Amino acid sequence: SAQDVSEMVRANARIEHLAFHDGLTDLPNRRFFSKHLESALQEVAENQGRLAVVYIDIDNFKSINDRFGHESGDELLIAFGQHLHNVKRPDEFIARIGGDEFAALISDSDDMKIESAINRLMCNLQGQYQTSYGEFEVTLSIGVSLHPQDNGDSEVLLRHADQAMYQAKESGRSRIEFFDTGKHHSQRSTLQLLQEL
């Protein structure tokens, strides 16, 4: 019947939605982000644009979970995801990558505009978040990889942004770090040297 067909269509749409969205925040998930990044890279190649992959990590999130329980952490993630959705510009693509890690994709014709867009996100997202467990002060460690500077496919750019985010954490948190090819190479050669020793 027509009702069965429409129910099947709805069920399929729901399955499709779940495959590409995060179950907790309903934001796009890592899979969707990677797909979107791949098509954005093709677009940028055609019009010589610039693109930034921005990894956003909530500082000290584990201690919130440990102290108040996972429900409090989930509530904070939902509130943060909602706020991220509200403050992003229409041309910015955002996702929850997993755990307390989120990502944004920013493209523009010029590096300065990209940098100010990242700073705007940082300023808008840090601050107080209200949950039923109380108010939490959120600071962020943000890592950024840039295309074409950090040349590579979507996986490489994601990995570089992730590495830059860990660099931000190691440098004292609540900061933005850009992936540094030079630093990356020196870290890799140190690692190789240690492995050889």
Side-chain angles (χ1 to χ4, degrees):
S1 75
Q3 193 183 350
D4 289 345
V5 170
S6 66
E7 271 176 24
M8 207 167 81
V9 167
R10 264 204 302 275
N12 284 340
R14 183 86 191 118
I15 290 164
E16 175 77 5
H17 183 83
L18 289 171
F20 288 102
H21 288 79
D22 171 54
L24 184 68
T25 62
D26 203 41
L27 291 177
N29 60 15
R30 188 191 180 101
R31 189 176 167 197
F32 196 175
F33 190 82
S34 294
K35 261 178 90 97
H36 191 83
L37 176 53
E38 276 165 28
S39 53
L41 283 169
Q42 286 171 342
E43 221 171 282
V44 164
E46 283 160 24
N47 58 27
Q48 266 94 55
R50 303 208 156 329
L51 184 143
V53 174
V54 184
Y55 243 72
I56 304 163
D57 185 87
I58 299 173
D59 292 330
N60 305 312
F61 181 75
K62 189 181 177 303
S63 63
I64 292 170
N65 266 346
D66 292 348
R67 203 166 152 210
F68 299 95
H70 285 280
E71 287 83 3
S72 67
D74 284 354
E75 252 192 66
L76 178 58
L77 290 172
I78 292 165
F80 183 83
Q82 185 60 57
H83 190 49
L84 176 57
H85 176 73
N86 292 341
V87 302
K88 79 171 186 71
R89 292 188 315 207
D91 60 341
E92 293 169 352
F93 189 80
I94 55 163
R96 181 182 176 211
I97 298 296
D100 61 333
E101 290 182 6
F102 295 79
L105 186 57
I106 299 171
S107 48
D108 212 304
S109 53
D110 127 14
D111 288 345
M112 294 294 284
K113 285 183 181 165
I114 284 179
E115 216 163 308
S116 75
I118 297 165
N119 285 323
R120 179 185 54 78
L121 275 181
M122 178 80 146
C123 291
N124 282 326
L125 292 169
Q126 292 203 123
Q128 303 280 347
Y129 284 81
Q130 191 63 51
T131 73
S132 60
Y133 294 83
E135 205 169 54
F136 295 109
E137 178 70 41
V138 166
T139 66
L140 304 170
S141 293
I142 291 181
V144 184
S145 64
L146 297 168
H147 178 82
Q149 295 90 316
D150 300 332
N151 55 29
D153 60 14
S154 60
E155 278 311 306
V156 169
L157 285 167
L158 277 165
R159 194 167 62 245
H160 285 180
D162 192 26
Q163 286 168 339
M165 182 269 289
Y166 277 102
Q167 192 62 48
K169 281 203 173 307
E170 282 169 16
S171 307
R173 298 190 170 94
S174 186
R175 60 194 297 133
I176 299 167
E177 284 280 343
F178 285 78
F179 179 76
D180 179 339
T181 318
K183 201 182 282 179
H184 176 62
H185 285 312
S186 69
Q187 282 171 342
R188 269 178 62 178
S189 53
T190 308
L191 199 66
Q192 278 168 335
L193 194 66
L194 287 171
Q195 282 167 345
E196 282 161 21
L197 288 171

